[in-house]
Amino acid sequence: MTVSQPTLDDTSTQTTAAWWRGAAIYQVYVRSFADGNGDGVGDLAGVRDRLPYLAELGIDAIWFNPWYPSPMADGGYDVSDYRDIEPAFGTLADAEALIAEAHALGIRIIIDIVPNHCSDAHPWFVEALRSEPGSSARQRFWFSDGRGEHGELPPNDWQSRFGGPAWTRVPDGQWYLHLYASEQPDLNWTRPEVHAEFEDILRFWFDRGVDGFRIDVADGLVKHPDLPDVGEATDRLPYSDMDGVHEIYRAWRRIADSYPDKRVFVGEMWLPDPERFARYLRPDELHSGFNFDFLSCPWDAARLRAVIQSTMDAHAPVGAPATWVLSNHDVTRHVTRYGRAGDTGFDFADRRHGTVVDRELGTRRARAAALLTLALPGGVYVYQGEELGLWEVEDVPDELRQDPVWARTNGADPGRDGCRIPLPWSGTESPFGFGAAAPWLPQPAEWADYTAQAQDNRPGSMLQLYREALGVRRAEPALGDGPMEWVADLPEVIAFRRPPGFTCVVNLGAAPVSLPEHESVLLSSGPIEGGELPPDTAVWLRTR
Ligand code: NOJ
């Protein structure tokens, strides 16, 4: 490896106590990252082999999707043991070695914690099923009698986020709540032992050196005690963003703060109201949260500017840094979104699956979007494969689809397999260096041109752009955490200054625009000719 990556003791911006405020965090979906043991499924050995790749990319931290033992009813978000590693991924010793090796390269580790629900194979749920209605084992979950003359109807009208009712009936006639798949029973956070258990799990991993947690469904842990029907209401749901949830995170923050170095939380909250979102980021709660308004926003200058501004406005009063996210393991990859005619935003209710995609256009916009997000103030997330310019694979054969969303909606929603295809590393045919065997989801043949190897030294490749951009971002005092100010410009241009001496300009319009006065061009997402910025192109400028 030829790069020199700072170690965690260095004092540059991204490595000081407030490292997370401006960190570039790479998301690893373990199953699909790299397969070290050749069984077609990604694993920790594969990640360890590729740590030099991530160091060279120039990221500050890795966020791992759940790596715990799991029946994989929902890609690992159905956890059966929170204190171990999924055997298909490796062992606890592998995880400890990985953490140490990443730290030696200056890369921090964030892992996923799933507190809203566990797996139906978790010992608590197995015990609950064997226990009497009303027993303390059942009270760790939301068991309830049904409605109707014989209790044959679910206790209320709540719907699973994966489709179908949020209740499943067990043989003795009671029902249990699952806001996701039926294999993911919701935990009952009115029970002190649930709190104690998760606080102990946090310590278990903090003691093993993890630097932070990504909190799954962070807004969902507390339910309205009466479990009322939702009815027609869609704005405030009785299982989302209930006020009581904040006490949980205050207790978690005290645990994180009890460690001498900085341990952090990032919350997954899909909330419509930025002010309600920011309540999770008050100084004694979570450090940051994913900015899904930005992710969901169409490729449109006015709308993106408005989202950026509302993000800054909501974060400022609580003193939390914003985060910028383009893609993750739940959403349609942004090369595809941005290449569509019409709506280029993201919406769970309509994935626009199968809409015609101009991939060249989507790629050009994705390049510009990368420079936009990497220049905005705060932290940034890079979802594995976006640095290779991968797109959503929309033609996964139905019989190979794994996401429970597909089955629970009877195929109405294709689900999320298309953004979880195993990465192409090298070679000219599948498995493209991912591993030795056929990968657990098939890879498109066109990925031969998109492997990390093919892009490694190819001038102008997406991989080169990300490496250069992350390198500039790391070296540039203006970038990461800090202030920004808008540069008033044309309606279809997004332009802002980051002091000292840095300006980012993105042209989302149909015609080229003149560059503002500048000393030099630091980086651009596409060729710049005659001092003009072409459509769907971004540039980083050295300015006064
Ligand atoms: C959000 C996760 O990102 C998603 O992948 C998962 O299916 C749900 N939470 C349920 O855990």
Side-chain angles (χ1 to χ4, degrees), residues 74 77 114 117 162 180 184 214 216-217 268 329-330 416 420:
D74 180 24
Y77 282 94
V114 189
H117 46 264
F162 289 168
Y180 295 88
Q184 294 168 292
R214 175 266 191 193
D216 189 57
V217 200
E268 187 216 20
H329 64 293
D330 290 329
R416 303 161 292 178
R420 300 173 176 180

Side-chain angles (χ1 to χ4, degrees), residues 297 300-313 486:
C297 188
D300 175 276
R303 293 186 61 180
L304 279 166
R305 254 197 314 267
V307 168
I308 294 167
Q309 188 59 54
S310 69
T311 300
M312 308 305 287
D313 291 347
W486 295 112

